[in-house]
Amino acid sequence: MPDVAAVIDDLRDESNELDVLVRELRSEQWAAATPAPGWSVAHQIAHLTWTDEVALLAATDAEAFAGEAARAMEAPESFVDRGAEEIAAALAPAALLARWRAGRERLEAVLREAPAGTRIPWYGPPMSVASMATARIMETWAHGQDIADALGATRTPTARLRHVARIGVRARDYAYLVRGIKVPEGEFRVELHSPGGELIAFGPPGAPQRVTGPLVDFCLLVTQRAHRDDLAVRAVGPDADQWLGIAQAFAGPAGPGRAPRGGAE
């Protein structure tokens, strides 16, 4: 079982690192387009703000969250974009930054105080506190990558990426199901090398279907922040190869992914 406090510490650190990237931006930089169509840097932070606030609602008022989830299901393709747009349009950068900070700090406090065994309702199955914190790390890192790309900034990979990889592996079957594809039988072996040279592995060592590569590249793949042709992630076996073409660590509809840097897919 993961050390819940340590996972929440990593969420705090991931958020703080992104905060450093955006806190001194000029107005025109907040308006800069990111790789996500129609989303500026402000939209990316607004999305994180919205999701933190919804997670806080889920953790503190299950009945109110159930109403929020029901409204979301009325527009499953657009409710996430709508949430980001409403916040981004309503707030100037300084106010947006303050709201993001306040929301994530409140969520961190609630997660730290949650009793052992707490299950938090969500848009899919209920989540443990550790799983919720891990999901927030994944989202913060992925949307932070969009912001870094928009600003031309280079981020240093950290060991926190193991959380993103873990979600990517655990979401393997979902990537098939959301596309109406039969899920392969058996586990895959995934072997990733961290920035510090540590081997991070998932699945049985003898599995014939295998994925290998740098940890950061795998995380870019499963969050669909880069095309597999631009990454050093490799598959052995037809099922593993198919997975690399559809993998996604996030819930919701099948993502379109990114075109390779050489041009459109």
Side-chain angles (χ1 to χ4, degrees), residues 98-246:
R99 180 166 167 178
W100 175 48
R101 288 169 173 165
R104 73 183 202 241
E105 288 170 3
R106 288 197 299 270
L107 178 61
E108 177 188 338
V110 167
L111 294 179
R112 290 191 188 280
E113 294 166 3
T118 293
R119 305 292 292 179
I120 300 172
W122 200 235
Y123 295 102
M127 304 174 75
S128 68
V129 171
S131 292
M132 176 61 78
T134 300
R136 301 307 307 127
I137 292 170
M138 182 272 292
E139 284 248 341
T140 303
W141 181 82
H143 290 283
Q145 186 63 45
D146 290 336
I147 292 170
D149 288 343
L151 300 175
T154 299
R155 301 193 298 173
T156 301
T158 73
R160 295 189 296 271
L161 288 175
R162 68 189 184 278
H163 300 296
V164 182
R166 182 172 181 267
I167 288 185
V169 172
R170 289 172 63 88
R172 186 203 72 168
D173 291 1
Y174 179 81
Y176 286 90
L177 293 170
V178 77
R179 291 166 174 79
I181 302 173
K182 182 181 178 181
V183 177
E185 296 181 5
E187 295 183 71
F188 295 175
R189 176 68 171 181
V190 178
E191 296 182 348
L192 307 170
H193 293 279
S194 76
E198 176 190 3
L199 176 64
I200 298 176
F202 306 90
Q209 303 292 323
R210 306 175 67 84
V211 170
T212 61
L215 174 61
V216 63
D217 283 23
F218 181 79
C219 292
L220 289 167
L221 179 77
V222 298
T223 58
Q224 297 190 357
R225 263 52 189 183
H227 192 276
R228 68 178 291 188
D229 289 353
D230 298 322
L231 302 170
V233 182
R234 301 292 178 259
V236 175
D239 292 338
D241 185 71
Q242 181 186 40
W243 179 45
L244 293 189
I246 63 172

